[in-house]
Amino acid sequence: MAYEQGELFAEASDKEISETEFYLERYKDMMLFIADFEGNEADMAQVAIDGESARRLSVDDLHADKTANAVILNEKQKWMYERYRVYTFMIFRAYNLIRDPDVKEVIRVRFIQGHSRKETILFTRRGTAASTVDRYIEKGIKMVANSLNQMGFFDEILKRN
């Protein structure tokens, strides 16, 4: 993010636009994980203890402390849940800032609802060409990236690294 003197709204860089597309592509998956975690947190912890998922956290482990690994696995799931909540909240806020109704509709169908490009083209109004839908997607990603830039989303992402 680079602000110039006198500049009120910074444009997202190509890297930030690419990152935005990456997170938009995963938005639906993050929302599904959040819902699953909220509804099944206790069961997930118990399965980690009882099941084989905590047997070894790494293929390099020669032996495993199953209970300790289950705790680590559960903490990782909690950490992912918290990160996903922050990311999805910021992405949805940026999506809501799209002012063009056609672009907003295409972004909603494609990323918020999680449909494929082909399905998005089919869900748009009759007579809308595939190339127009592609332009709306590109324009929408850039609009979301600019909003995320101003919200400090990319600074939040850097915190995890």
Side-chain angles (χ1 to χ4, degrees):
M1 172 167 72
Y3 287 96
E4 306 252 343
Q5 185 174 356
E7 184 178 18
L8 186 58
F9 300 103
E11 292 277 323
S13 68
D14 289 341
K15 184 175 189 271
E16 290 168 337
I17 292 169
S18 178
E19 287 258 329
T20 299
E21 185 172 8
F22 173 84
Y23 283 100
L24 281 169
E25 289 278 353
R26 284 145 189 85
Y27 179 84
K28 184 67 174 179
D29 293 330
M30 290 189 287
M31 292 301 292
L32 290 171
F33 179 85
I34 289 168
D36 184 59
F37 186 83
E38 288 173 347
N40 303 299
E41 181 180 3
D43 292 339
M44 289 170 73
Q46 190 60 44
V47 167
I49 292 168
D50 294 342
E52 292 298 312
S53 60
R55 176 72 61 195
R56 289 198 172 113
L57 293 179
S58 166
V59 294
D60 297 333
D61 288 341
L62 298 176
H63 66 284
D65 181 350
K66 193 172 170 181
T67 305
N69 286 352
V71 170
I72 292 168
L73 184 62
N74 187 255
E75 288 301 313
K76 181 180 178 184
Q77 289 169 339
K78 285 180 184 177
W79 179 83
M80 286 175 53
Y81 168 76
E82 290 300 326
R83 296 282 31 100
Y84 285 1
R85 280 188 37 165
V86 171
Y87 296 167
T88 56
F89 176 76
M90 293 177 88
I91 289 167
F92 195 74
R93 279 185 57 210
Y95 155 76
N96 276 326
L97 294 173
I98 297 173
R99 292 176 28 181
D100 184 322
D102 294 328
V103 172
K104 190 171 190 172
E105 176 67 12
V106 167
I107 295 298
R108 181 183 62 77
V109 171
R110 176 68 180 94
F111 298 112
I112 304 301
Q113 293 179 346
H115 294 286
S116 69
R117 176 187 171 273
K118 182 179 179 179
E119 291 168 330
T120 303
I121 292 166
L122 293 173
F123 287 140
T124 55
R125 289 187 305 246
R126 271 194 191 168
T128 304
S131 60
T132 302
V133 173
D134 288 339
R135 276 194 309 276
Y136 286 165
I137 290 171
E138 189 177 318
K139 185 177 180 181
I141 291 170
K142 188 170 183 182
M143 293 168 117
V144 170
N146 288 337
S147 294
L148 289 175
N149 184 329
Q150 292 185 324
M151 287 180 206
F153 178 82
F154 302 106
D155 297 333
E156 179 69 26
I157 297 295
L158 290 175
K159 272 201 263 184
R160 73 177 159 97
N161 293 337

